[in-house]
């Protein structure tokens, strides 16, 4: 099967993309810190299922476009990389910190919908589809594998961030 050489890189890419800091993981850590892991479960599920839908739609729709215009893959990779560098720069050099106490944890619906405006999620989906989507193999199986992998990897990723936030609170006294 020609798709096999791409499976391991896709898994490593997905792990790196899911566990690195980003909007979902920061919100997960914040929720775990302020509300605990149990009240963060809707957030964890919302992120996981929202991203799963996003990558499914990306794989289904982008494959047709990429086959028609292969140069778009390269353009999207470059623009996505530049955007992530820009976000890293903005986060690194932000001087203003605002304190605002939120009394309710983020809901399933909020984090599900957030995936469709989350720039890191879009860049990851587009990159994953452009790099690892099978071009000549069974498209259904390729899409199914990408979706299953993203679901399997996202659940522990966001859970670790939420758990980390809930553990940090134990060591803070003020």
């Amino acid at each position: 099967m020609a798709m096999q050489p791409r499976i391991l890189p896709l898994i490593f890419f997905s792990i790196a993309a899911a566990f690195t800091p980003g909007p979902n993981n920061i919100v997960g850590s914040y929720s775990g810190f302020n509300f605990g892991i149990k009240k963060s479960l809707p957030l964890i599920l919302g992120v996981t299922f929202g991203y799963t839908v996003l990558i499914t739609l990306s794989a289904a729709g982008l494959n047709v476009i990429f086959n028609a215009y292969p140069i778009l893959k390269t353009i999207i990779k470059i623009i996505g990389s530049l955007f992530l560098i820009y976000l890293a720069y903005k986060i690194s050099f932000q001087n203003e910190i605002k304190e605002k106490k939120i009394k309710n944890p983020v809901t399933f619906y909020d984090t599900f919908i957030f995936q469709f405006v989350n720039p890191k999620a879009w860049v990851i989906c587009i990159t994953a589809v452009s790099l690892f989507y099978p071009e000549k193999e069974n498209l259904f199986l390729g899409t199914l594998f990408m979706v299953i992998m993203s679901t399997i990897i996202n659940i522990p990723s966001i859970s670790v961030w939420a758990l980390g936030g809930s553990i940090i609170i134990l060591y803070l006294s003020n």
Side-chain angles (χ1 to χ4, degrees):
M1 178 185 236
M3 188 174 70
Q4 286 178 346
R6 288 193 227 150
I7 291 175
L8 201 54
L10 172 62
I11 292 169
F12 288 138
F13 171 82
S14 298
I15 290 170
F19 280 89
T20 54
N24 290 328
N25 294 337
I26 300 303
V27 171
S29 183
Y30 171 85
S31 181
F33 183 87
N34 286 297
F35 309 110
I37 191 73
K38 186 176 179 180
K39 287 188 177 180
S40 298
L41 287 176
L43 174 140
I44 292 166
L45 295 174
V47 166
T48 300
F49 291 115
Y51 182 78
T52 299
V53 169
L54 183 63
I55 198 160
T56 303
L57 295 174
S58 296
L62 289 177
N63 186 52
V64 173
I65 294 169
F66 288 154
N67 284 338
Y69 306 101
I71 188 70
L72 286 177
K73 286 182 179 181
T74 304
I75 293 169
I76 288 170
K77 289 177 201 175
I78 292 168
I79 292 171
S81 298
L82 291 173
F83 183 72
L84 285 177
I85 291 168
Y86 168 76
L87 283 178
Y89 171 80
K90 293 297 280 184
I91 291 169
S92 297
F93 295 101
Q94 181 181 3
N95 293 330
E96 186 179 319
I97 298 175
K98 297 178 183 177
E99 281 195 36
K100 189 177 180 182
K101 188 71 174 170
I102 299 175
K103 296 180 180 159
N104 297 320
V106 181
T107 67
F108 173 88
Y109 178 77
D110 293 337
T111 53
F112 181 89
I113 295 299
F114 177 67
Q115 300 318 295
F116 297 94
V117 296
N118 179 349
K120 182 183 173 195
W122 274 106
V123 169
I124 291 169
C125 285
I126 291 169
T127 304
V129 170
S130 66
L131 289 175
F132 304 110
Y133 199 74
E135 295 174 11
K136 296 179 177 113
E137 296 87 12
N138 186 315
L139 299 179
F140 175 76
L141 290 177
T143 302
L144 184 63
F145 181 76
M146 290 182 85
V147 168
I148 290 170
M149 285 310 307
S150 68
T151 304
I152 289 171
I153 291 169
N154 274 318
I155 290 173
S157 167
I158 191 71
S159 298
V160 164
W161 281 86
L163 184 62
S166 66
I167 290 171
I168 290 172
I169 193 71
L170 300 174
Y171 295 99
L172 297 178
S173 59
N174 59 22

